[in-house]
Amino acid sequence: MIDAHIHADCRPYEDFERMAVAGIESALTLAHDPMRMTTPAVVLDHFYRILENDFKRAKSNGIILKAALGLHPRSICQDYKLVLRKLPWFLDHDEVIALGEVGLETASDLEREVFRTQLQMADERDMKVAVHTPRRNKREITIKTLSIIEGNIDPALVVVDHVDPSIIDLVADFKGMLGITVQPQKMTPTEAVELLEGTFDDYGPERFMLDSDMSSSPSDPLSVPKTVHELKLAGWDDKKIEMLSHQNAAKFYGL
């Protein structure tokens, strides 16, 4: 299994052991806002923390960890342009396989500018992008997010994450990937199965991937294995479960 969206820097060492014991073999950790991201130095130290610390913690527990780095909409500091100038250097690291997580939180003009800039950066590098969708005003902001994606990058390079019943219809014709986040206060494993029952085949079984988004928010490092268990109980075919929990993410991210 692959957990396609975590925030490893927020989690204790023991969580990686739990994930490995439950059958998770690899995961993608993404940049976000683990603290007040007030200056470029704080943001860049967050990137360094991922590169210099979290890979080792995961590896020592048998998890292959890769990273996506970028300027999260809640991490746009005052001198954000310095971060954007230095970002390509971080993206050149072998362990960094995507740009993210990026997107819109409130859809302010500044967020849109930073989002567009990073999408264009990824498009020029033919690099995959993990795109955030917010908890609040989710539908309204997702519409704006999709519009910006369409104008600035090949959608085939993009995964729109945290897809739930409130926006699933908006991404029916989206040409990229869809992340299903199973996390307390977002979606339970049972709710994820219910969502997938009506969309997996119709939307294209190759487009979905599971993740836990485990972070400092209420989280469960076993969200993906628990969802796989619920899929089995619901009678899902093993091939479809493998696509959803491993194959699609592995192909998209090259894991």
Side-chain angles (χ1 to χ4, degrees):
M1 285 177 280
I2 294 173
D3 192 332
H5 186 140
I6 71 171
H7 298 292
D9 54 310
C10 289
R11 307 305 302 184
Y13 180 90
E14 293 77 13
D15 274 357
F16 297 106
E17 180 183 25
R18 296 187 185 101
M19 293 167 69
V21 168
I24 294 177
E25 299 170 334
S26 59
L28 183 71
T29 188
L30 292 84
H32 61 134
D33 61 330
M35 60 191 78
R36 290 180 64 222
M37 311 297 268
T38 53
T39 68
V42 176
V43 178
L44 296 175
D45 277 345
H46 171 48
F47 294 171
Y48 280 118
R49 153 68 191 253
I50 292 171
L51 293 175
E52 296 175 356
N53 189 31
D54 292 324
F55 293 126
K56 296 176 184 177
R57 295 197 305 138
K59 184 178 180 180
S60 65
N61 279 294
I63 300 286
I64 298 172
L65 189 66
K66 299 295 183 180
L69 299 181
L71 198 52
H72 191 286
R74 295 195 301 264
S75 297
I76 302 174
C77 53
Q78 186 172 2
D79 192 7
Y80 66 91
K81 291 183 180 179
L82 175 60
V83 177
L84 295 178
R85 287 198 299 270
K86 291 183 176 293
L87 182 56
W89 182 85
F90 288 94
L91 298 179
D92 283 340
H93 285 69
D94 291 340
E95 300 92 345
V96 180
I97 61 174
L99 194 155
E101 118 190 52
V102 298
L104 304 177
E105 184 71 21
T106 64
S108 68
D109 289 343
L110 178 57
E111 285 183 4
R112 294 185 197 205
E113 175 193 339
V114 173
F115 185 33
R116 281 194 296 267
T117 298
Q118 292 183 99
L119 289 176
Q120 292 165 5
M121 186 184 300
D123 194 50
E124 291 170 358
R125 305 169 75 89
D126 198 32
M127 193 173 207
K128 301 300 180 7
V129 184
V131 171
H132 165 85
T133 55
R135 297 177 190 237
R136 296 182 179 179
N137 301 322
K138 192 177 188 74
R139 187 174 179 86
E140 174 189 350
I141 293 177
T142 298
I143 291 171
K144 296 174 182 178
T145 298
L146 293 171
S147 176
I148 293 173
I149 290 171
E150 290 290 343
N152 291 280
I153 192 172
D154 178 0
L157 293 172
V158 176
V159 53
V160 172
D161 215 337
H162 316 321
V163 171
D164 69 11
S166 73
I167 64 169
I168 187 68
D169 63 304
L170 299 178
V171 293
D173 298 321
F174 180 64
K175 302 303 181 185
M177 299 291 289
L178 309 176
I180 304 298
T181 297
V182 183
Q183 184 184 32
Q185 300 180 355
K186 281 186 180 176
M187 190 181 301
T188 67
T190 300
E191 290 169 341
V193 173
E194 292 172 353
L195 174 65
L196 290 162
E197 288 279 9
T199 57
F200 190 76
D201 290 321
D202 292 340
Y203 280 49
E206 72 286 348
R207 298 176 60 204
F208 291 90
M209 61 178 77
L210 287 173
D211 67 73
S212 68
D213 193 20
M214 66 175 192
S215 62
S216 58
S217 298
S219 303
D220 184 352
L222 304 186
S223 283
V224 173
K226 288 179 179 179
T227 304
V228 166
H229 179 63
E230 290 292 332
L231 289 166
K232 290 179 179 178
L233 293 178
W236 274 53
D237 178 83
D238 287 344
K239 183 178 180 180
K240 291 182 178 180
I241 294 175
E242 173 69 10
M243 292 179 69
L244 184 61
S245 63
H246 183 276
Q247 185 177 327
N248 291 346
K251 183 177 180 180
F252 181 72
Y253 284 122
L255 293 169

